[in-house]
Every structure is written in C-alpha cells, then in structure tokens.
C-alpha cells in the first residue's frame, strides 16, 4: 500500500492517460483532418529534409514539459519568455510546418482541432515519410495556456547518466524500455557541438576524451568542432543515415559511435544494453517498440497542461 502511494506520488503531476484520448475523436467533426496534415508535412519535406527530425524533437520537448499540450508552440509575450525561447532550443526549428497545417485545418473545420493533436499527427507522418513505421494516433489533446522558458530545465540533459535518464522518464510514466526505444528518435537529425563537447574535451579529471567513443570517431568529432569552433552551427548528424528512420542509431551505438553521453548511457545496465542489441539486430523489433513508446509519450497529459483549442498555435485564446 505504501509502495503504491509512493508510486502514485511520483507520477504527479504527470500521467499517461491514454484512455482519455481516442482514435476516432475527429471522425465526425473533421473527417479529412489526417490527410490534410499529411499533405502539409509532405509539402514541407520537399524543400527541407530536416523537417521530420525537427517535428520529432519538438514533440518530445513539448510532451516532457507539462504533457503534450503544444505549450512549446506558444510565442514569447513581451519579456515573458516562452518554452521555445528557453536554453536548449538550439535545434528547434520548422514551427512553420505546424502553423501551415493549422491554417489548412482551420479552413476545413474551424476551432475544433488542437495544436497538440496536429503536432502528434504530423510527427507520426514525419516518421512514416522517413521510412519508419506508422501507427494510429489517439486524439483529443487540449492546448495549454502556460509556456515558460524556465521550465525547459525539466528536460533531460545530454550529459545524463542512466539513473538520471530513468528518473526523468519514470516521472512521466515511461519505462526503461520506453527510454531505449524513444532514444532511437536519434536516428533522425543533427547535434551541435555544444551538446556533446563534454565527451571530446575535458571528459574528466584524468581523460580528455570519453574512452567509450571509438577513437577515430572521437577524432572526427573533435576536428569538426575544433575547425569550426567559431561557427555556431558546427556539429554532426545523430547517425550516418540522418534523414532515414532506421536502426542504424543502435548499430552505431554498439560500435562506440554515439553522439551524446545519454546515448552511451544506454549501454551501462544489462537491461538497457540488451534492448539496444535487440533493436540493433532487428529493425522490426525497433519499429514495434518505438510505436508503442511513442503512443505512450504522446499521450502524456497533466492537470496544468491542456485547457483549450487554440486558433493560432502561437497565441492563447
Ligand atoms: C533520452 C533523453 C534525451 C536527451 C538527453 C536528448 C538530447 C538531445 C539533444 C541534446 C539534441 C541535439 C540538440 C542540438 O545540439 O541541436 C537532440 C536532438 C534530437 N532529439 Fe533528442 N534527446 C533525448 C530524447 C529524445 C527523444 C525521446 C526523442 C524523440 C522520440 C528525441 C528526438 C530528437 C531528434 C529527432 C533530434 C534532432 C533534432 C534536429 O535535428 O532537428 N530525443 N536530443
Ligand atoms: C531560442 O531562444 C532565443 C532567445 O532565448 C531566441 O532568440 C531564438 O529565436 C530561439 N530559437 C528558436 C528556434 O525559437
Ligand atoms: C548519476 O549521476 C548522479 C548525479 O551526478 C549520481 O548521484 C549517480 O550516482 C550517478 N549514477 C550512476 C549510475 O552513475
Ligand atoms: C575518467 O573516466 C574513466 C572512464 O569512465 C574512468 O575509468 C576514470 O576513473 C575517470 N577518472 C576520474 C578522475 O574520474
């Protein structure tokens, strides 16, 4: 009993309330919703191959702060800085894709569909259009009215070890399997040097470079970041097939070619390491686990999160 109460206390204020959402939420009110969003994502991808990575990161970032309530999409107001202007916003981009999708959806079924649902659907499309699995998205999220830059401190850091990662995920109702499967999101996208400099410079008091990095890979990361140390945009792709949703991330991880300490940390417990090996050897197992965990993550809601249906994803009603 005490254990149950403690466990419940840990889940507050986060909870995965999959049951509150439903697959057919807009079937009657907005039957063409999903194809409209798919078109918006497809159109954006014609000109910008980084759109899927951006949307996936955006969704993760949003869901981990007060649940998936599109609080990340709100613009800062005067000197009140919003989440999207908070410190680890370096990789955030492609907000216009959601804005365009929202405009198209508003023209179709005005005032009915939340920005949070649009983002969740767009992410599903982004993954599928990158060669990944597809799935049905539970819908019915509400948009939040609160967005504070300071709350981005609640995001896990790329320097986290396995116990810190586990804690961050379990506070949101996510398991170690979810952690390993969702980290596979790093099969898409890019990292700036600032996000992994801890591994290639002053690693600890006795070593300059993280010894878990494969030596020539570490050398190439160092040269990228040294040669361009004045360019704010220097960095590297998160795996060697950056625009394809595949299991190369896990294969690279086993070869000492991960980018963040938080990726490497997945190899430091037998349970998580076994999952990494499983996903590295089977794309199908990865796809299956990723879908299951994405549905869980994208269903995180909180009592202080969603309240309304925004008309413009950047401003509260
Ligand atoms: C496990 C904890 C996680 C940590 C510590 C973490 C950290 C980071 C960091 C530091 C970046 C790069 C920022 C930059 O330098 O530009 C990044 C990028 C990215 N992350 Fe994660 N992340 C985590 C989990 C996730 C999850 C759960 C997903 C989605 C399922 C995800 C998807 C992405 C994507 C797609 C990018 C590339 C973004 C782009 O290129 O636009 N991450 N992550
Ligand atoms: C990140 O935040 C800074 C200010 O804190 C802001 O100037 C910049 O536009 C933000 N980046 C994005 C992509 O929103
Ligand atoms: C992870 O880091 C925290 C904080 O620095 C530390 O207390 C903990 O012992 C570390 N855990 C592992 C498994 O290294
Ligand atoms: C530095 O890291 C290595 C590898 O993790 C470890 O063996 C060593 O004890 C660390 N040194 C210090 C001073 O922490």
């Amino acid at each position: 009993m005490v254990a149950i109460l403690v466990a419940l206390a840990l889940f507050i204020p986060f909870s995965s309330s999959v049951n509150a959402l439903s697959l057919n939420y807009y079937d009657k009110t907005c039957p063409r919703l999903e194809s409209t969003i798919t078109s918006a994502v497809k159109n954006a991808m014609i000109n910008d191959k980084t759109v899927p990575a951006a949307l996936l990161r955006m969704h993760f970032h949003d869901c981990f702060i007060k649940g998936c309530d599109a609080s990340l999409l709100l613009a800062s107001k005067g000197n009140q800085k919003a989440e999207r202007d908070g410190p680890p916003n370096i990789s955030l981009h492609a907000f216009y894709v959601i804005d365009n999708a929202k405009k198209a959806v508003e023209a179709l079924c005005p005032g009915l569909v939340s920005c949070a649902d649009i983002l969740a659907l767009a992410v599903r499309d982004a993954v599928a259009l990158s060669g990944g699995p597809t799935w049905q998205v539970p819908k019915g999220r509400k948009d939040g009215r609160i967005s504070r830059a300071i709350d981005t401190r609640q995001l896990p850091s790329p320097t986290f070890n396995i116990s810190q990662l586990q804690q961050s995920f379990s506070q949101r109702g996510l398991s170690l399997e979810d952690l390993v499967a969702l980290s596979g999101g790093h099969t898409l996208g890019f990292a700036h040097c600032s996000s992994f400099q801890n591994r290639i410079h002053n690693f600890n008091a006795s070593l300059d470079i993280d010894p878990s990095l494969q030596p020539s890979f570490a050398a190439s990361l160092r040269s990228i970041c040294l040669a361009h140390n004045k360019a704010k945009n220097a960095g590297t792709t998160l795996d060697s097939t950056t625009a394809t949703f595949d299991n190369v991330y896990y294969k690279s991880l086993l070869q000492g070619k991960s980018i963040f300490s938080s990726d490497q940390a997945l190899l430091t417990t037998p349970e998580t390491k076994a999952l990494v090996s499983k996903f590295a050897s089977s794309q199908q197992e990865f796809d299956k686990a990723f879908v299951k965990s994405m549905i869980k993550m994208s269903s995180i809601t909180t009592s202080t999160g969603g309240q309304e249906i925004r008309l413009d994803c950047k401003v509260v009603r």
Side-chain angles (χ1 to χ4, degrees):
M1 188 57 193
V2 173
I4 292 171
L5 287 177
V6 170
L8 281 176
L10 285 174
F11 282 104
I12 292 168
F14 291 101
S15 66
S16 300
S17 58
V18 181
N19 294 332
L21 305 178
S22 73
L23 293 178
N24 54 2
Y25 195 81
Y26 298 109
D27 281 4
K28 294 220 168 66
T29 54
C30 198
R32 280 161 58 211
L33 171 65
E34 304 208 5
S35 57
T36 303
I37 293 171
T38 307
S39 300
V41 175
K42 263 191 194 154
N43 282 341
M45 282 174 68
I46 294 170
N47 296 316
D48 184 355
K49 302 283 175 246
T50 73
V51 160
L55 295 177
L56 186 54
R57 164 95 168 141
M58 215 185 268
H59 192 43
F60 158 65
H61 191 133
D62 181 39
C63 293
F64 263 54
I65 299 171
K66 296 194 302 304
C68 315
D69 65 347
S71 52
L72 178 61
L73 304 181
L74 287 170
S76 294
K77 231 171 117 188
N79 55 9
Q80 282 189 299
K81 281 219 262 170
E83 258 170 59
R84 67 195 271 173
D85 292 321
N89 75 346
I90 188 163
S91 69
L92 294 176
H93 64 285
F95 288 97
Y96 73 91
V97 181
I98 301 302
D99 289 335
N100 288 347
K102 175 67 170 170
K103 271 183 208 138
V105 169
E106 281 302 306
L108 202 61
C109 11
L112 288 175
V113 185
S114 65
C115 296
D117 277 343
I118 292 175
L119 179 55
L121 286 163
V123 169
R124 183 271 312 274
D125 293 335
V127 168
L129 291 166
S130 305
T134 190
W135 62 94
Q136 289 193 292
V137 178
K139 296 160 291 278
R141 294 167 191 77
K142 292 274 165 35
D143 296 326
R145 299 175 51 85
I146 303 166
S147 180
R148 291 179 303 229
I150 196 169
D151 288 340
T152 57
R153 285 186 197 162
Q154 298 164 20
L155 291 172
S157 153
T159 62
F160 270 12
N161 65 29
I162 194 68
S163 31
Q164 294 168 308
L165 290 168
Q166 178 170 23
Q167 192 189 12
S168 167
F169 275 61
S170 77
Q171 281 170 346
R172 292 156 176 88
L174 300 171
S175 66
L176 275 182
E177 172 152 5
D178 296 323
L179 167 64
V180 179
L182 291 170
S183 293
H186 291 162
T187 179
L188 296 177
F190 184 86
H192 295 82
C193 292
S194 56
S195 302
F196 56 89
Q197 63 171 355
N198 68 304
R199 304 187 74 189
I200 53 172
H201 200 65
N202 289 328
F203 176 65
N204 67 17
S206 55
L207 292 171
D208 198 27
I209 297 181
D210 182 343
S212 61
L213 280 169
Q214 198 262 345
S216 64
F217 186 72
S220 82
L221 291 183
R222 261 166 80 106
S223 71
I224 289 167
C225 296
L226 284 175
H228 301 277
N229 65 355
K230 289 215 176 77
K232 221 181 141 205
N233 291 331
T236 187
T237 58
L238 288 171
D239 77 6
S240 57
T241 55
T242 178
T244 306
F245 192 97
D246 56 21
N247 64 345
V248 169
Y249 164 82
Y250 297 101
K251 292 180 182 165
S252 309
L253 186 47
L254 292 175
Q255 294 163 2
K257 296 178 181 170
S258 64
I259 305 299
F260 307 131
S261 295
S262 58
D263 298 317
Q264 184 64 34
L266 303 178
L267 298 178
T268 59
T269 76
E271 183 186 349
T272 51
K273 188 175 180 184
L275 289 164
V276 170
S277 300
K278 179 161 96 173
F279 299 154
S281 60
S282 168
Q283 172 82 48
Q284 231 184 335
E285 290 291 345
F286 168 46
D287 286 353
K288 209 171 72 184
F290 185 80
V291 165
K292 190 170 149 230
S293 297
M294 270 302 277
I295 292 172
K296 255 172 102 175
M297 183 179 83
S298 82
S299 303
I300 301 173
T301 54
T302 73
S303 51
T304 52
Q307 331 259 329
E308 66 175 19
I309 307 290
R310 266 176 236 151
L311 298 179
D312 172 342
C313 294
K314 293 187 292 302
V315 289
V316 296
R317 258 177 118 163

